[in-house]
Amino acid sequence: MTLRRLFTTNNLLKALLSLPVVLVVLYFLPVLGVIMLIARYFVYGSRHYYRGPIIILIFSLLLLVPRGLELAMTNFGFNLSIPYLNDILSSTIYPKLVDYAQNIFIISTVFLIVSAIIKAISSKLSGNISRILREYFSAKQASEAKAFQENDLKMKEKVIESQQKTPHVVKCPHCGKTNSITGTVGQCKSCRNPIEYKGGK
């Protein structure tokens, strides 16, 4: 079993690499979370090239909404009455969530950029490889066709040579003697007059 098939068929591994688990791991162990995000590419392949980073990016923005509202009300003088906003901002855990949101925002943005670069490079490489393969097979087909034509020509030449070397029985129109000649023209052995093989005519 290949490594890719092991990744794609193992349900436990898929569950461990699901986005909720990755988000939790990113909070406690950011380095391991990044490794898990990279491993998701082996599990899901190109189908989820952008999906995972975009979901994480949206999640980070949602966590930053209360802080954004606070900054908007402070800097622009907005007077908004939002239920539980002050409770969220004054909680002891929210500053940690803000740091976490900023970290996963940066991570997801980097992943999106790297994913776009990798996909562009792989698309270009696959296009170049496809073009090289097409040119190779076209050249190979042309070479095979040329070799086939050359072999066919050689066979025809051999057939003509064999026909020219085949002895023919010709009756001399001058003296009536029967002669055996190679090729289509010859000389009568009796009267020395020229004789010709006309293909049975």
mmCIF file of all heavy atoms in Angstrom, residues 101-134:
data_model
loop_
_atom_site.group_PDB
_atom_site.id
_atom_site.type_symbol
_atom_site.label_atom_id
_atom_site.label_comp_id
_atom_site.label_asym_id
_atom_site.label_seq_id
_atom_site.Cartn_x
_atom_site.Cartn_y
_atom_site.Cartn_z
ATOM 1 N N ALA A 101 -6.097 34.164 17.340
ATOM 2 C CA ALA A 101 -6.694 34.547 16.050
ATOM 3 C C ALA A 101 -5.665 35.204 15.145
ATOM 4 O O ALA A 101 -5.636 34.940 13.928
ATOM 5 C CB ALA A 101 -7.885 35.483 16.282
ATOM 6 N N GLN A 102 -4.814 36.045 15.715
ATOM 7 C CA GLN A 102 -3.775 36.694 14.917
ATOM 8 C C GLN A 102 -2.786 35.658 14.363
ATOM 9 O O GLN A 102 -2.364 35.735 13.200
ATOM 10 C CB GLN A 102 -3.040 37.731 15.758
ATOM 11 C CG GLN A 102 -3.877 38.943 16.095
ATOM 12 C CD GLN A 102 -3.194 39.884 17.071
ATOM 13 O OE1 GLN A 102 -2.184 39.529 17.681
ATOM 14 N NE2 GLN A 102 -3.737 41.081 17.223
ATOM 15 N N ASN A 103 -2.435 34.688 15.208
ATOM 16 C CA ASN A 103 -1.494 33.634 14.767
ATOM 17 C C ASN A 103 -2.080 32.805 13.625
ATOM 18 O O ASN A 103 -1.413 32.576 12.613
ATOM 19 C CB ASN A 103 -1.130 32.735 15.941
ATOM 20 C CG ASN A 103 -0.233 33.421 16.947
ATOM 21 O OD1 ASN A 103 0.471 34.374 16.603
ATOM 22 N ND2 ASN A 103 -0.244 32.949 18.184
ATOM 23 N N ILE A 104 -3.330 32.350 13.801
ATOM 24 C CA ILE A 104 -3.903 31.494 12.751
ATOM 25 C C ILE A 104 -4.239 32.317 11.504
ATOM 26 O O ILE A 104 -4.273 31.774 10.395
ATOM 27 C CB ILE A 104 -5.130 30.707 13.253
ATOM 28 C CG1 ILE A 104 -6.277 31.643 13.652
ATOM 29 C CG2 ILE A 104 -4.758 29.777 14.377
ATOM 30 C CD1 ILE A 104 -7.559 30.887 14.023
ATOM 31 N N PHE A 105 -4.482 33.620 11.666
ATOM 32 C CA PHE A 105 -4.673 34.494 10.502
ATOM 33 C C PHE A 105 -3.395 34.523 9.661
ATOM 34 O O PHE A 105 -3.431 34.390 8.435
ATOM 35 C CB PHE A 105 -5.054 35.907 10.945
ATOM 36 C CG PHE A 105 -5.233 36.874 9.808
ATOM 37 C CD1 PHE A 105 -6.438 36.966 9.152
ATOM 38 C CD2 PHE A 105 -4.175 37.683 9.399
ATOM 39 C CE1 PHE A 105 -6.603 37.854 8.090
ATOM 40 C CE2 PHE A 105 -4.329 38.567 8.346
ATOM 41 C CZ PHE A 105 -5.542 38.657 7.688
ATOM 42 N N ILE A 106 -2.261 34.704 10.343
ATOM 43 C CA ILE A 106 -0.965 34.728 9.638
ATOM 44 C C ILE A 106 -0.683 33.373 8.999
ATOM 45 O O ILE A 106 -0.273 33.289 7.828
ATOM 46 C CB ILE A 106 0.161 35.130 10.610
ATOM 47 C CG1 ILE A 106 -0.034 36.568 11.079
ATOM 48 C CG2 ILE A 106 1.527 34.958 9.956
ATOM 49 C CD1 ILE A 106 0.868 36.982 12.222
ATOM 50 N N ILE A 107 -0.924 32.296 9.752
ATOM 51 C CA ILE A 107 -0.655 30.946 9.235
ATOM 52 C C ILE A 107 -1.508 30.657 8.008
ATOM 53 O O ILE A 107 -1.014 30.162 6.981
ATOM 54 C CB ILE A 107 -0.904 29.893 10.340
ATOM 55 C CG1 ILE A 107 0.165 30.003 11.430
ATOM 56 C CG2 ILE A 107 -0.927 28.483 9.754
ATOM 57 C CD1 ILE A 107 -0.132 29.182 12.668
ATOM 58 N N SER A 108 -2.811 30.965 8.090
ATOM 59 C CA SER A 108 -3.704 30.678 6.964
ATOM 60 C C SER A 108 -3.353 31.522 5.745
ATOM 61 O O SER A 108 -3.412 31.041 4.605
ATOM 62 C CB SER A 108 -5.163 30.902 7.362
ATOM 63 O OG SER A 108 -5.362 32.238 7.799
ATOM 64 N N THR A 109 -2.959 32.777 5.975
ATOM 65 C CA THR A 109 -2.562 33.642 4.850
ATOM 66 C C THR A 109 -1.320 33.104 4.167
ATOM 67 O O THR A 109 -1.250 33.043 2.923
ATOM 68 C CB THR A 109 -2.306 35.082 5.353
ATOM 69 O OG1 THR A 109 -3.478 35.568 6.020
ATOM 70 C CG2 THR A 109 -1.969 35.997 4.194
ATOM 71 N N VAL A 110 -0.332 32.691 4.972
ATOM 72 C CA VAL A 110 0.895 32.111 4.403
ATOM 73 C C VAL A 110 0.574 30.838 3.622
ATOM 74 O O VAL A 110 1.082 30.620 2.515
ATOM 75 C CB VAL A 110 1.927 31.829 5.520
ATOM 76 C CG1 VAL A 110 3.088 31.004 4.978
ATOM 77 C CG2 VAL A 110 2.424 33.127 6.123
ATOM 78 N N PHE A 111 -0.313 30.002 4.194
ATOM 79 C CA PHE A 111 -0.695 28.766 3.505
ATOM 80 C C PHE A 111 -1.390 29.061 2.184
ATOM 81 O O PHE A 111 -1.167 28.362 1.192
ATOM 82 C CB PHE A 111 -1.597 27.918 4.407
ATOM 83 C CG PHE A 111 -0.862 26.840 5.135
ATOM 84 C CD1 PHE A 111 -0.195 27.116 6.309
ATOM 85 C CD2 PHE A 111 -0.817 25.548 4.644
ATOM 86 C CE1 PHE A 111 0.493 26.128 6.989
ATOM 87 C CE2 PHE A 111 -0.128 24.557 5.309
ATOM 88 C CZ PHE A 111 0.531 24.835 6.496
ATOM 89 N N LEU A 112 -2.247 30.076 2.155
ATOM 90 C CA LEU A 112 -2.934 30.432 0.912
ATOM 91 C C LEU A 112 -1.941 30.886 -0.153
ATOM 92 O O LEU A 112 -2.040 30.479 -1.322
ATOM 93 C CB LEU A 112 -3.961 31.537 1.175
ATOM 94 C CG LEU A 112 -5.281 31.106 1.810
ATOM 95 C CD1 LEU A 112 -6.115 32.318 2.165
ATOM 96 C CD2 LEU A 112 -6.058 30.182 0.871
ATOM 97 N N ILE A 113 -0.983 31.712 0.257
ATOM 98 C CA ILE A 113 0.019 32.202 -0.693
ATOM 99 C C ILE A 113 0.881 31.057 -1.213
ATOM 100 O O ILE A 113 1.104 30.913 -2.422
ATOM 101 C CB ILE A 113 0.893 33.292 -0.040
ATOM 102 C CG1 ILE A 113 0.042 34.525 0.282
ATOM 103 C CG2 ILE A 113 2.061 33.673 -0.946
ATOM 104 C CD1 ILE A 113 0.747 35.565 1.130
ATOM 105 N N VAL A 114 1.361 30.214 -0.272
ATOM 106 C CA VAL A 114 2.205 29.078 -0.667
ATOM 107 C C VAL A 114 1.424 28.102 -1.542
ATOM 108 O O VAL A 114 1.946 27.581 -2.538
ATOM 109 C CB VAL A 114 2.775 28.372 0.586
ATOM 110 C CG1 VAL A 114 3.472 27.076 0.200
ATOM 111 C CG2 VAL A 114 3.732 29.292 1.326
ATOM 112 N N SER A 115 0.158 27.861 -1.197
ATOM 113 C CA SER A 115 -0.679 26.954 -1.993
ATOM 114 C C SER A 115 -0.851 27.478 -3.406
ATOM 115 O O SER A 115 -0.782 26.718 -4.378
ATOM 116 C CB SER A 115 -2.049 26.780 -1.333
ATOM 117 O OG SER A 115 -1.932 26.193 -0.061
ATOM 118 N N ALA A 116 -1.090 28.798 -3.517
ATOM 119 C CA ALA A 116 -1.247 29.398 -4.845
ATOM 120 C C ALA A 116 0.033 29.266 -5.667
ATOM 121 O O ALA A 116 -0.008 28.938 -6.863
ATOM 122 C CB ALA A 116 -1.647 30.866 -4.708
ATOM 123 N N ILE A 117 1.183 29.495 -5.012
ATOM 124 C CA ILE A 117 2.469 29.387 -5.715
ATOM 125 C C ILE A 117 2.724 27.951 -6.153
ATOM 126 O O ILE A 117 3.106 27.689 -7.300
ATOM 127 C CB ILE A 117 3.617 29.895 -4.816
ATOM 128 C CG1 ILE A 117 3.486 31.399 -4.589
ATOM 129 C CG2 ILE A 117 4.980 29.567 -5.430
ATOM 130 C CD1 ILE A 117 4.441 31.961 -3.559
ATOM 131 N N ILE A 118 2.488 27.002 -5.227
ATOM 132 C CA ILE A 118 2.721 25.586 -5.549
ATOM 133 C C ILE A 118 1.805 25.127 -6.675
ATOM 134 O O ILE A 118 2.227 24.421 -7.600
ATOM 135 C CB ILE A 118 2.517 24.714 -4.292
ATOM 136 C CG1 ILE A 118 3.638 24.966 -3.290
ATOM 137 C CG2 ILE A 118 2.469 23.225 -4.662
ATOM 138 C CD1 ILE A 118 3.448 24.277 -1.959
ATOM 139 N N LYS A 119 0.538 25.545 -6.612
ATOM 140 C CA LYS A 119 -0.398 25.133 -7.652
ATOM 141 C C LYS A 119 -0.007 25.721 -9.003
ATOM 142 O O LYS A 119 -0.087 25.045 -10.032
ATOM 143 C CB LYS A 119 -1.813 25.562 -7.282
ATOM 144 C CG LYS A 119 -2.871 24.890 -8.140
ATOM 145 C CD LYS A 119 -4.249 25.048 -7.550
ATOM 146 C CE LYS A 119 -5.250 24.237 -8.351
ATOM 147 N NZ LYS A 119 -6.610 24.353 -7.804
ATOM 148 N N ALA A 120 0.426 26.987 -9.001
ATOM 149 C CA ALA A 120 0.853 27.616 -10.256
ATOM 150 C C ALA A 120 2.074 26.905 -10.833
ATOM 151 O O ALA A 120 2.137 26.629 -12.037
ATOM 152 C CB ALA A 120 1.153 29.096 -10.024
ATOM 153 N N ILE A 121 3.034 26.590 -9.944
ATOM 154 C CA ILE A 121 4.253 25.902 -10.406
ATOM 155 C C ILE A 121 3.921 24.507 -10.923
ATOM 156 O O ILE A 121 4.406 24.083 -11.980
ATOM 157 C CB ILE A 121 5.293 25.831 -9.267
ATOM 158 C CG1 ILE A 121 5.825 27.224 -8.950
ATOM 159 C CG2 ILE A 121 6.448 24.894 -9.634
ATOM 160 C CD1 ILE A 121 6.724 27.288 -7.732
ATOM 161 N N SER A 122 3.071 23.772 -10.163
ATOM 162 C CA SER A 122 2.724 22.407 -10.586
ATOM 163 C C SER A 122 1.947 22.412 -11.894
ATOM 164 O O SER A 122 2.151 21.549 -12.749
ATOM 165 C CB SER A 122 1.910 21.709 -9.490
ATOM 166 O OG SER A 122 0.677 22.381 -9.277
ATOM 167 N N SER A 123 1.063 23.419 -12.067
ATOM 168 C CA SER A 123 0.313 23.520 -13.325
ATOM 169 C C SER A 123 1.263 23.795 -14.493
ATOM 170 O O SER A 123 1.134 23.196 -15.570
ATOM 171 C CB SER A 123 -0.738 24.628 -13.235
ATOM 172 O OG SER A 123 -1.681 24.339 -12.234
ATOM 173 N N LYS A 124 2.221 24.706 -14.254
ATOM 174 C CA LYS A 124 3.181 25.021 -15.314
ATOM 175 C C LYS A 124 4.056 23.818 -15.630
ATOM 176 O O LYS A 124 4.313 23.511 -16.805
ATOM 177 C CB LYS A 124 4.043 26.208 -14.884
ATOM 178 C CG LYS A 124 4.910 26.756 -16.008
ATOM 179 C CD LYS A 124 5.584 28.043 -15.606
ATOM 180 C CE LYS A 124 6.398 28.611 -16.769
ATOM 181 N NZ LYS A 124 7.062 29.879 -16.393
ATOM 182 N N LEU A 125 4.504 23.123 -14.571
ATOM 183 C CA LEU A 125 5.348 21.943 -14.786
ATOM 184 C C LEU A 125 4.586 20.852 -15.520
ATOM 185 O O LEU A 125 5.108 20.233 -16.458
ATOM 186 C CB LEU A 125 5.857 21.415 -13.442
ATOM 187 C CG LEU A 125 7.031 22.160 -12.806
ATOM 188 C CD1 LEU A 125 7.345 21.584 -11.450
ATOM 189 C CD2 LEU A 125 8.253 22.108 -13.704
ATOM 190 N N SER A 126 3.329 20.612 -15.099
ATOM 191 C CA SER A 126 2.543 19.571 -15.761
ATOM 192 C C SER A 126 2.278 19.934 -17.215
ATOM 193 O O SER A 126 2.296 19.083 -18.097
ATOM 194 C CB SER A 126 1.222 19.350 -15.021
ATOM 195 O OG SER A 126 0.431 20.520 -15.034
ATOM 196 N N GLY A 127 2.059 21.258 -17.468
ATOM 197 C CA GLY A 127 1.870 21.700 -18.856
ATOM 198 C C GLY A 127 3.129 21.481 -19.686
ATOM 199 O O GLY A 127 3.050 21.009 -20.829
ATOM 200 N N ASN A 128 4.297 21.814 -19.105
ATOM 201 C CA ASN A 128 5.564 21.619 -19.825
ATOM 202 C C ASN A 128 5.851 20.140 -20.053
ATOM 203 O O ASN A 128 6.301 19.740 -21.135
ATOM 204 C CB ASN A 128 6.716 22.251 -19.041
ATOM 205 C CG ASN A 128 6.669 23.770 -19.072
ATOM 206 O OD1 ASN A 128 6.075 24.351 -19.972
ATOM 207 N ND2 ASN A 128 7.278 24.410 -18.099
ATOM 208 N N ILE A 129 5.572 19.317 -19.027
ATOM 209 C CA ILE A 129 5.799 17.880 -19.166
ATOM 210 C C ILE A 129 4.887 17.291 -20.235
ATOM 211 O O ILE A 129 5.320 16.472 -21.061
ATOM 212 C CB ILE A 129 5.592 17.166 -17.809
ATOM 213 C CG1 ILE A 129 6.721 17.561 -16.839
ATOM 214 C CG2 ILE A 129 5.557 15.658 -17.979
ATOM 215 C CD1 ILE A 129 6.499 17.106 -15.418
ATOM 216 N N SER A 130 3.618 17.727 -20.236
ATOM 217 C CA SER A 130 2.676 17.250 -21.252
ATOM 218 C C SER A 130 3.139 17.650 -22.651
ATOM 219 O O SER A 130 3.077 16.849 -23.595
ATOM 220 C CB SER A 130 1.280 17.813 -20.987
ATOM 221 O OG SER A 130 0.794 17.387 -19.736
ATOM 222 N N ARG A 131 3.631 18.890 -22.790
ATOM 223 C CA ARG A 131 4.105 19.352 -24.090
ATOM 224 C C ARG A 131 5.331 18.552 -24.538
ATOM 225 O O ARG A 131 5.421 18.137 -25.706
ATOM 226 C CB ARG A 131 4.462 20.843 -24.010
ATOM 227 C CG ARG A 131 4.998 21.431 -25.311
ATOM 228 C CD ARG A 131 5.291 22.905 -25.153
ATOM 229 N NE ARG A 131 6.200 23.160 -24.055
ATOM 230 C CZ ARG A 131 7.523 23.013 -24.118
ATOM 231 N NH1 ARG A 131 8.092 22.570 -25.232
ATOM 232 N NH2 ARG A 131 8.282 23.294 -23.076
ATOM 233 N N ILE A 132 6.252 18.302 -23.600
ATOM 234 C CA ILE A 132 7.455 17.534 -23.941
ATOM 235 C C ILE A 132 7.080 16.105 -24.353
ATOM 236 O O ILE A 132 7.622 15.567 -25.321
ATOM 237 C CB ILE A 132 8.435 17.521 -22.746
ATOM 238 C CG1 ILE A 132 9.022 18.919 -22.532
ATOM 239 C CG2 ILE A 132 9.554 16.506 -22.961
ATOM 240 C CD1 ILE A 132 9.798 19.077 -21.248
ATOM 241 N N LEU A 133 6.131 15.514 -23.602
ATOM 242 C CA LEU A 133 5.701 14.150 -23.940
ATOM 243 C C LEU A 133 5.027 14.111 -25.304
ATOM 244 O O LEU A 133 5.252 13.180 -26.084
ATOM 245 C CB LEU A 133 4.757 13.621 -22.860
ATOM 246 C CG LEU A 133 5.400 13.254 -21.518
ATOM 247 C CD1 LEU A 133 4.334 12.859 -20.507
ATOM 248 C CD2 LEU A 133 6.409 12.120 -21.693
ATOM 249 N N ARG A 134 4.181 15.133 -25.593
ATOM 250 C CA ARG A 134 3.523 15.176 -26.907
ATOM 251 C C ARG A 134 4.551 15.302 -28.019
ATOM 252 O O ARG A 134 4.452 14.603 -29.046
ATOM 253 C CB ARG A 134 2.546 16.357 -26.962
ATOM 254 C CG ARG A 134 1.242 16.132 -26.225
ATOM 255 C CD ARG A 134 0.186 17.137 -26.662
ATOM 256 N NE ARG A 134 0.623 18.502 -26.472
ATOM 257 C CZ ARG A 134 0.434 19.206 -25.371
ATOM 258 N NH1 ARG A 134 -0.193 18.660 -24.340
ATOM 259 N NH2 ARG A 134 0.859 20.448 -25.270
#
